[in-house]
Amino acid sequence: MYKWMEWIAKAAGLNLLWILFTLCGFGFLGLFPATVALLMVTRDVKTGNQKGIGASFLNYYVENFIKANAYGYLIMIINIALISLAIQSVHSSVLLTIPIFVVTVLVFMISLYLLPVFTYFHASFLNHLKLSSVMALGHPVVSFVLVSLFALNFGVIFYSRILIAFPILFLFFMVSVSAYFVMVVLLPVFRKYGVSEKAATSNQVSEV
């Protein structure tokens, strides 16, 4: 019972930190650094290497502020452009529509890996992109789980009745619990690519 209560308290605390630091960056500048910090702290908690959660969150947030925004907005711009193109292609020929939809889905799946890979591998953007692509295509079950988790969160956020009925869900648990499940799913995959828990925690893995 004590462990469950401790886990719930950490989840609620991390969720509140994510909201707070997102707002500290005025939303649009804080979203991706706060998400990266959340993933890194969740990784530390999952591997048993966590220190002070608040201090670690702040350190990761500041340390990765510029890169997290660069990665995050690059992901967002590319996906929005492809989704818009896919929607417009519906009125075109099938020969054009199908390839565009396939590329859009593949890029979206790869994008879901990019920030978690960034939190684990100290490498260049091209190496992060390469590894994300290999994982997304080489682990279809994991990719399906990540897409499903994203779709669930997207549905909860944009189906307002859920948040109106259960505002505590977003305030205390939704984002942090999602980050925890992402780490649970991806940690075994990262281990297959030679990332030890100690190396991952220090974020000093050599380029792949």
Side-chain angles (χ1 to χ4, degrees), residues 18 22 26-33 35 67-85 104 107-115 125 129 150 154 158:
W18 180 82
T22 297
F26 303 103
F28 69 97
L29 286 178
L31 174 62
F32 293 112
T35 301
K67 278 192 174 181
N69 274 310
Y71 275 55
Y73 279 105
L74 180 62
I75 292 170
M76 181 180 292
I77 291 170
I78 291 175
N79 277 282
I80 289 175
L82 284 174
I83 291 171
S84 299
L85 182 61
T104 300
V107 170
F108 178 71
M109 285 196 307
I110 293 169
S111 299
L112 293 180
Y113 282 83
L114 198 54
L115 284 183
F125 172 77
L129 182 60
F150 178 89
F154 186 87
F158 288 94

Side-chain angles (χ1 to χ4, degrees), residues 55-153:
S56 295
F57 200 105
L58 175 60
N59 181 61
Y60 290 140
Y61 181 88
V62 173
E63 186 179 86
N64 299 288
F65 189 85
I66 296 176
K67 278 192 174 181
N69 274 310
Y71 275 55
Y73 279 105
L74 180 62
I75 292 170
M76 181 180 292
I77 291 170
I78 291 175
N79 277 282
I80 289 175
L82 284 174
I83 291 171
S84 299
L85 182 61
I87 293 173
Q88 293 175 6
S89 70
V90 171
H91 303 290
S92 303
S93 65
V94 176
L95 292 178
L96 179 63
T97 302
I98 292 177
I100 291 176
F101 268 92
V102 170
V103 171
T104 300
V105 171
L106 289 177
V107 170
F108 178 71
M109 285 196 307
I110 293 169
S111 299
L112 293 180
Y113 282 83
L114 198 54
L115 284 183
V117 165
F118 169 72
T119 67
Y120 265 74
F121 292 85
H122 182 68
S124 67
F125 172 77
L126 289 179
N127 279 302
H128 285 150
L129 182 60
K130 180 177 70 174
L131 188 53
S132 297
S133 302
V134 170
M135 290 181 177
L137 298 176
H139 302 273
V141 175
V142 175
S143 299
F144 175 78
V145 171
L146 291 180
V147 171
S148 300
L149 186 60
F150 178 89
L152 177 62
N153 281 292

Side-chain angles (χ1 to χ4, degrees), residues 197-208:
E197 293 178 0
K198 182 178 180 181
T201 303
S202 63
N203 200 30
Q204 293 298 316
V205 182
S206 59
E207 294 191 4
V208 292

Side-chain angles (χ1 to χ4, degrees), residues 3-21 38 41-42 45 53-54 57 167-180:
K3 288 185 177 181
W4 276 103
M5 294 300 294
E6 184 181 24
W7 189 89
I8 291 172
K10 285 181 179 179
L14 282 172
N15 211 86
L16 289 173
L17 284 171
W18 180 82
I19 294 173
L20 175 63
F21 279 87
L38 175 63
V41 173
T42 305
V45 171
I53 288 179
F57 200 105
I168 195 173
L169 181 67
F170 179 79
L171 186 61
F172 290 111
F173 298 108
M174 191 178 78
V175 181
S176 60
V177 171
S178 296
Y180 180 80

